[in-house]
mmCIF file of all heavy atoms in Angstrom:
data_model
loop_
_atom_site.group_PDB
_atom_site.id
_atom_site.type_symbol
_atom_site.label_atom_id
_atom_site.label_comp_id
_atom_site.label_asym_id
_atom_site.label_seq_id
_atom_site.Cartn_x
_atom_site.Cartn_y
_atom_site.Cartn_z
ATOM 1 N N PHE A 359 -13.208 19.746 -11.234
ATOM 2 C CA PHE A 359 -12.533 20.616 -10.269
ATOM 3 C C PHE A 359 -11.367 19.864 -9.544
ATOM 4 O O PHE A 359 -11.508 18.708 -9.281
ATOM 5 C CB PHE A 359 -13.409 21.181 -9.247
ATOM 6 C CG PHE A 359 -14.519 22.030 -9.747
ATOM 7 C CD1 PHE A 359 -15.750 21.540 -10.023
ATOM 8 C CD2 PHE A 359 -14.253 23.415 -9.926
ATOM 9 C CE1 PHE A 359 -16.726 22.382 -10.551
ATOM 10 C CE2 PHE A 359 -15.232 24.266 -10.430
ATOM 11 C CZ PHE A 359 -16.544 23.718 -10.778
ATOM 12 N N ILE A 360 -10.156 20.572 -9.414
ATOM 13 C CA ILE A 360 -9.023 20.001 -8.742
ATOM 14 C C ILE A 360 -8.908 20.660 -7.350
ATOM 15 O O ILE A 360 -8.814 20.004 -6.328
ATOM 16 C CB ILE A 360 -7.826 20.091 -9.578
ATOM 17 C CG1 ILE A 360 -8.025 19.301 -10.929
ATOM 18 C CG2 ILE A 360 -6.510 19.545 -8.846
ATOM 19 C CD1 ILE A 360 -6.839 19.361 -11.864
ATOM 20 N N MET A 361 -8.778 21.946 -7.386
ATOM 21 C CA MET A 361 -8.596 22.733 -6.146
ATOM 22 C C MET A 361 -8.866 24.145 -6.405
ATOM 23 O O MET A 361 -9.202 24.508 -7.537
ATOM 24 C CB MET A 361 -7.137 22.570 -5.555
ATOM 25 C CG MET A 361 -6.119 23.131 -6.477
ATOM 26 S SD MET A 361 -4.409 23.102 -5.752
ATOM 27 C CE MET A 361 -4.670 24.266 -4.409
ATOM 28 N N GLU A 362 -8.837 25.023 -5.328
ATOM 29 C CA GLU A 362 -9.161 26.429 -5.500
ATOM 30 C C GLU A 362 -8.047 27.264 -4.916
ATOM 31 O O GLU A 362 -7.512 26.931 -3.791
ATOM 32 C CB GLU A 362 -10.458 26.805 -4.860
ATOM 33 C CG GLU A 362 -10.877 28.196 -5.023
ATOM 34 C CD GLU A 362 -12.305 28.487 -4.472
ATOM 35 O OE1 GLU A 362 -12.505 28.517 -3.261
ATOM 36 O OE2 GLU A 362 -13.240 28.499 -5.280
ATOM 37 N N PHE A 363 -7.680 28.351 -5.667
ATOM 38 C CA PHE A 363 -6.803 29.372 -5.068
ATOM 39 C C PHE A 363 -7.614 30.581 -4.622
ATOM 40 O O PHE A 363 -8.412 31.113 -5.367
ATOM 41 C CB PHE A 363 -5.813 29.856 -6.168
ATOM 42 C CG PHE A 363 -4.937 28.727 -6.705
ATOM 43 C CD1 PHE A 363 -5.229 28.286 -8.043
ATOM 44 C CD2 PHE A 363 -4.011 28.078 -6.034
ATOM 45 C CE1 PHE A 363 -4.472 27.218 -8.502
ATOM 46 C CE2 PHE A 363 -3.263 27.077 -6.579
ATOM 47 C CZ PHE A 363 -3.509 26.592 -7.787
ATOM 48 N N LYS A 364 -7.489 30.960 -3.330
ATOM 49 C CA LYS A 364 -8.193 32.136 -2.796
ATOM 50 C C LYS A 364 -7.142 33.307 -2.672
ATOM 51 O O LYS A 364 -6.273 33.181 -1.807
ATOM 52 C CB LYS A 364 -8.762 31.856 -1.438
ATOM 53 C CG LYS A 364 -9.781 30.725 -1.462
ATOM 54 C CD LYS A 364 -10.280 30.355 -0.019
ATOM 55 C CE LYS A 364 -11.142 29.152 0.033
ATOM 56 N NZ LYS A 364 -12.504 29.271 -0.546
ATOM 57 N N VAL A 365 -7.240 34.247 -3.467
ATOM 58 C CA VAL A 365 -6.244 35.349 -3.462
ATOM 59 C C VAL A 365 -6.758 36.331 -2.392
ATOM 60 O O VAL A 365 -7.142 37.487 -2.694
ATOM 61 C CB VAL A 365 -6.151 36.003 -4.828
ATOM 62 C CG1 VAL A 365 -4.899 36.885 -4.897
ATOM 63 C CG2 VAL A 365 -6.025 34.942 -5.936
ATOM 64 N N THR A 366 -6.588 35.951 -1.165
ATOM 65 C CA THR A 366 -7.140 36.712 0.041
ATOM 66 C C THR A 366 -6.044 37.092 1.001
ATOM 67 O O THR A 366 -6.368 37.823 1.941
ATOM 68 C CB THR A 366 -8.232 35.943 0.690
ATOM 69 O OG1 THR A 366 -7.688 34.645 1.225
ATOM 70 C CG2 THR A 366 -9.408 35.652 -0.207
ATOM 71 N N LEU A 367 -4.832 36.643 0.857
ATOM 72 C CA LEU A 367 -3.814 37.038 1.805
ATOM 73 C C LEU A 367 -3.184 38.366 1.438
ATOM 74 O O LEU A 367 -3.045 38.710 0.230
ATOM 75 C CB LEU A 367 -2.700 35.956 1.830
ATOM 76 C CG LEU A 367 -3.008 34.606 2.471
ATOM 77 C CD1 LEU A 367 -1.850 33.694 2.325
ATOM 78 C CD2 LEU A 367 -3.526 34.682 3.827
ATOM 79 N N PRO A 368 -2.855 39.160 2.434
ATOM 80 C CA PRO A 368 -2.279 40.520 2.082
ATOM 81 C C PRO A 368 -0.798 40.244 1.671
ATOM 82 O O PRO A 368 -0.163 39.270 1.984
ATOM 83 C CB PRO A 368 -2.262 41.246 3.391
ATOM 84 C CG PRO A 368 -2.369 40.101 4.407
ATOM 85 C CD PRO A 368 -3.116 39.029 3.846
ATOM 86 N N LEU A 369 -0.383 41.114 0.744
ATOM 87 C CA LEU A 369 1.032 40.958 0.263
ATOM 88 C C LEU A 369 1.996 41.314 1.361
ATOM 89 O O LEU A 369 2.016 42.402 1.940
ATOM 90 C CB LEU A 369 1.269 41.913 -0.977
ATOM 91 C CG LEU A 369 2.500 41.823 -1.705
ATOM 92 C CD1 LEU A 369 2.643 40.502 -2.411
ATOM 93 C CD2 LEU A 369 2.617 42.898 -2.703
ATOM 94 N N LYS A 370 2.861 40.301 1.706
ATOM 95 C CA LYS A 370 3.701 40.516 2.923
ATOM 96 C C LYS A 370 4.847 41.564 2.531
ATOM 97 O O LYS A 370 5.262 42.390 3.413
ATOM 98 C CB LYS A 370 4.345 39.176 3.282
ATOM 99 C CG LYS A 370 3.503 38.268 3.925
ATOM 100 C CD LYS A 370 4.186 37.004 4.350
ATOM 101 C CE LYS A 370 3.322 36.028 5.026
ATOM 102 N NZ LYS A 370 3.990 34.736 5.414
ATOM 103 N N SER A 371 5.361 41.445 1.289
ATOM 104 C CA SER A 371 6.391 42.379 0.919
ATOM 105 C C SER A 371 6.435 42.384 -0.622
ATOM 106 O O SER A 371 5.755 41.562 -1.294
ATOM 107 C CB SER A 371 7.768 41.949 1.476
ATOM 108 O OG SER A 371 8.107 40.690 1.022
ATOM 109 N N LYS A 372 7.142 43.271 -1.195
ATOM 110 C CA LYS A 372 7.199 43.422 -2.630
ATOM 111 C C LYS A 372 7.716 42.041 -3.225
ATOM 112 O O LYS A 372 8.674 41.456 -2.730
ATOM 113 C CB LYS A 372 8.136 44.541 -3.077
ATOM 114 C CG LYS A 372 8.252 44.715 -4.573
ATOM 115 C CD LYS A 372 9.117 45.909 -4.890
ATOM 116 C CE LYS A 372 9.217 46.076 -6.403
ATOM 117 N NZ LYS A 372 10.144 47.217 -6.777
#
Side-chain angles (χ1 to χ4, degrees):
F359 294 96
I360 297 175
M361 64 173 293
E362 183 173 77
F363 303 107
K364 300 177 189 287
V365 193
T366 56
L367 293 179
L369 188 64
K370 289 183 179 178
S371 59
K372 183 179 178 181

